[in-house]
Amino acid sequence: MTYRRPAALTVLATLVAVLPNLAIAQMSHQHASEAACEETVLRCATKVTPAFAADGTLWLAWMAGGQISVANSRDQGKSFSAPMQVTRERLNLDWGPDARPKLAIDQKGEVALAFSIFRDQAFNGQVLTTRSTDGGRSFDPPRPITANNESQRFEAIGFDPTGAVFAVWLDKRNRVPAQQRGEKYDGAGLFFAASKDGGATYSDAQLAADNTCECCRLALAFDGSGHPVVVFRNIFEGGVRDHAIVTFTDLATAGEVHRVSRDDWQIAACPHHGPSLTISSAGTYHVTWYTNGKARKGLFYARSRDGGKTFSDPLPVGQLNRSPSRPQIIAGPQGLVMAWKEFDGRKTSINLMTSHDDGATWSKPTVVVDTADSSDHPLLVSDGRQTYLSWMTKVDGYHFQAIEGEP
Amino acid sequence: MTRHLLAALILLATLPCARAAGESAPKPFERGSWQRLLHEHAGHPTLVHFWGVTCGPCKVELPQLGRFMKDHPGIDVVTISADLVPNLPDATKSMLNQAGLGSAENWIFDDGFAERLRFEIDPAWQGDIPRTMLIGRDGTITTIEGSAEMTDLNKWSDAQAATTR
């Protein structure tokens, strides 16, 4: 990006502008927060994650006041139970743009939960997990998902059809041996483990793919056979941070890694902007992502009908001049729904579009809600009858709405 | 007109500047800060580096920029911590000092609505860091996404030195 500024105008403007700047420099530093308040209640949350239980109960896990809390709703988000605080001591919770607490609920209504903290002054991360065996009334003390002490972040968890918890995260443990060998180590490893006791203990961590991008959320879904499928920002040859996908053959075996698209985003940086994945009843993989590559820039959607081996041509999503971001996709009972943010310089809006032919064609995007201050990512969740938008905002509070056009 | 410009320049040169304060806490970067920053450095080759305390590649690049600043006294070096809030002035300051950038002009994002701050700087920027903007003497801005190659920075700096009147 380049532009020129007329010199005379610049000097005059500088004279006007420099005076208030001095006053600002002398002001005492004040924290500007993404949070509306500092307590642990939902209203003060910066990140809120929804999940439906099999019986239609909506669960929320959120990060507020330095703690992780949960609550549930039996009326599709109109009212919530008293919050249950999962963490006790004040932890340095991972506040990164793509971090959030994750929760998954099994067929019996037991809740597994995972989140990341910064465990030291150098911002090395640690993934902690806990579970509830009394329907969310109490949680075990959170414990590390792995005994290894290298930095871990960006976990994703989900129950497979057999009731096991599958967990996947980004882990820097391979950096140290590589450096000891005098080799350069880029990114982080994509590690995974499984829990057969509802998330109380996890199997030893295994590597699915090494040298993946270290600072983007992962997308996890299960295919029709219950195999975990993970989409992640990989580091391809030449430092290209494009997306890749891996389908696991079972909870302990990663399959082959395939490329989702060739965006050619060569960047040695943290994009803080991970993908979204859903698998429809037809078995089609649907992926949305952000890139700023040489081949394309912005948000994109593509689908795979051969289990992630090949993908359709990427479809651009959103208005490029409105900074589209944070794409989410879900296969609901009435079809696919995609949601993303746009920003016009003043307001952030949530845009939605739907597809009723498994992603072949999409409706025109519509704006469903907006806010004039900071906000969480828009998330989509389904209870098997209806798809809902879940969105936490600083000034307008928590927003949960059924997607129009659904039954 | 020329006389007014000259007067403005003299006044500018004599005004106390936050940069002279040395290794002080990073200044809060708020709405409007970007335009003020551009005005303040107009006519001076300026390197603006966006980074954050939790960003892995930034940890590698920061000390390189510290050396760049030492080797290129003719370039205004500005850092802006663009990590999402809650930002950490103490950790930010400590990392800048360790990297030899304590005496640079240092800022820290100070608006919970980071999208709005980024939009003022570059509407196409989604928040990926590190990111470096090279602002030439003539106001030309070159944006480097991700870690900058020091050879590229040296080349740009040499080109700027060649335009010195």
Side-chain angles (χ1 to χ4, degrees), chain A residues 2-161:
Chain A
T2 59
Y3 64 85
R4 271 165 186 275
R5 173 180 300 283
L9 273 178
T10 305
V11 175
L12 287 176
T14 306
L15 184 61
V16 178
V18 76
L19 295 168
N21 200 32
L22 286 171
I24 283 168
Q26 284 157 10
M27 270 167 49
S28 63
H29 181 83
Q30 284 187 334
H31 272 289
S33 178
E34 280 179 305
C37 36
E38 300 304 318
E39 293 90 72
T40 60
V41 294
L42 179 61
R43 182 72 194 82
C44 305
T46 49
K47 322 242 186 206
V48 181
T49 309
F52 272 109
D55 69 355
T57 304
L58 170 69
W59 285 87
L60 298 182
W62 68 84
M63 187 173 138
Q67 305 287 348
I68 305 288
S69 301
V70 299
N72 65 59
S73 168
R74 297 186 187 280
D75 55 11
Q76 286 77 44
K78 288 179 201 73
S79 64
F80 284 92
S81 64
M84 166 72 215
Q85 200 173 307
V86 175
T87 48
R88 290 278 155 237
E89 51 184 313
R90 199 177 169 94
L91 299 162
N92 190 8
L93 298 169
D94 184 346
W95 69 80
D98 252 1
R100 66 175 54 257
K102 317 295 184 328
L103 78 169
I105 300 123
D106 75 0
Q107 290 296 321
K108 294 174 291 185
E110 307 300 16
V111 184
L113 204 134
F115 56 94
S116 294
I117 59 166
F118 293 121
R119 66 169 161 74
D120 61 24
Q121 295 294 314
F123 300 97
N124 285 302
Q126 184 173 47
V127 175
L128 300 177
T129 65
T130 176
R131 65 161 183 175
S132 169
T133 52
D134 56 9
R137 277 183 290 278
S138 68
F139 282 81
D140 295 350
R143 47 192 287 174
I145 197 165
T146 170
N148 189 282
N149 224 15
E150 289 301 318
S151 189
Q152 314 131 17
R153 286 176 82 186
F154 303 111
E155 71 292 337
I157 58 167
F159 278 98
D160 84 344

Side-chain angles (χ1 to χ4, degrees), chain A residues 286-305:
Chain A
H286 304 270
V287 180
T288 60
W289 71 95
Y290 164 74
T291 184
N292 199 25
K294 284 197 199 84
R296 59 184 65 83
K297 295 178 196 297
L299 302 186
F300 294 89
Y301 159 80
R303 62 177 178 164
S304 169
R305 304 170 90 171

Side-chain angles (χ1 to χ4, degrees), chain B residues 42-102:
Chain B
H44 295 270
T46 305
L47 181 154
V48 184
H49 182 65
F50 298 92
W51 69 292
V53 290
T54 68
C55 151
C58 302
K59 289 180 190 173
V60 179
E61 188 178 3
L62 219 52
Q64 297 173 352
L65 283 174
R67 281 193 294 279
F68 175 88
M69 183 172 82
K70 203 169 151 220
D71 296 344
H72 300 84
I75 305 287
D76 293 354
V77 175
V78 178
T79 79
I80 302 176
S81 166
D83 238 346
L84 272 280
V85 285
N87 47 29
L88 301 166
D90 292 343
T92 305
K93 191 178 153 190
S94 150
M95 280 178 72
L96 288 166
N97 286 343
Q98 277 173 27
L101 287 163

Side-chain angles (χ1 to χ4, degrees), chain A residues 1-5 7-15 17-22 24-25 27-34 92 95-97 118 121-124 153 172 214-215 241 265-273 290 292 299 320-326 341 343-348 371-375 394, chain B residues 1 4-5 8-9 11-12 15-18 26-28 30-31 33-43 53-57 59 83-89 91 95 105 107-116 118-119 121-131 133 138-143 145-147:
Chain A
M1 189 191 77
T2 59
Y3 64 85
R4 271 165 186 275
R5 173 180 300 283
L9 273 178
T10 305
V11 175
L12 287 176
T14 306
L15 184 61
V18 76
L19 295 168
N21 200 32
L22 286 171
I24 283 168
M27 270 167 49
S28 63
H29 181 83
Q30 284 187 334
H31 272 289
S33 178
E34 280 179 305
N92 190 8
W95 69 80
F118 293 121
Q121 295 294 314
F123 300 97
N124 285 302
R153 286 176 82 186
K172 290 256 195 186
E214 64 270 51
C215 33
R241 297 196 187 217
W265 193 13
Q266 185 183 33
I267 183 171
C270 286
H272 291 308
H273 214 141
Y290 164 74
N292 199 25
L299 302 186
L320 251 192
N321 62 350
R322 293 213 162 179
S323 201
S325 67
R326 311 298 172 195
K341 278 180 163 184
F343 184 63
D344 65 3
R346 207 171 56 85
K347 279 186 165 181
T348 299
T371 192
D373 208 319
S374 61
S375 60
K394 179 176 176 178
Chain B
M1 184 67 177
H4 284 124
L5 282 176
L9 284 168
L11 184 55
L12 259 182
L15 277 168
C17 179
K27 296 190 283 183
E30 297 159 330
R31 292 181 80 181
S33 295
W34 179 245
Q35 282 307 317
R36 283 196 293 274
L37 191 153
L38 287 178
H39 294 319
E40 200 167 328
H41 290 275
V53 290
T54 68
C55 151
K59 289 180 190 173
D83 238 346
L84 272 280
V85 285
N87 47 29
L88 301 166
M95 280 178 72
E105 178 183 326
W107 298 78
I108 186 165
F109 265 25
D110 198 45
D111 185 332
F113 201 4
E115 279 147 312
R116 191 167 56 190
R118 288 199 299 265
F119 196 88
I121 296 160
D122 178 356
W125 178 31
Q126 289 281 358
D128 45 273
I129 45 177
R131 188 179 182 90
M133 291 170 104
D138 63 357
T140 304
I141 296 182
T142 309
T143 300
E145 273 194 335
S147 304

Side-chain angles (χ1 to χ4, degrees), chain A residues 260-271:
Chain A
V260 173
S261 75
R262 293 187 178 273
D263 306 326
D264 198 13
W265 193 13
Q266 185 183 33
I267 183 171
C270 286

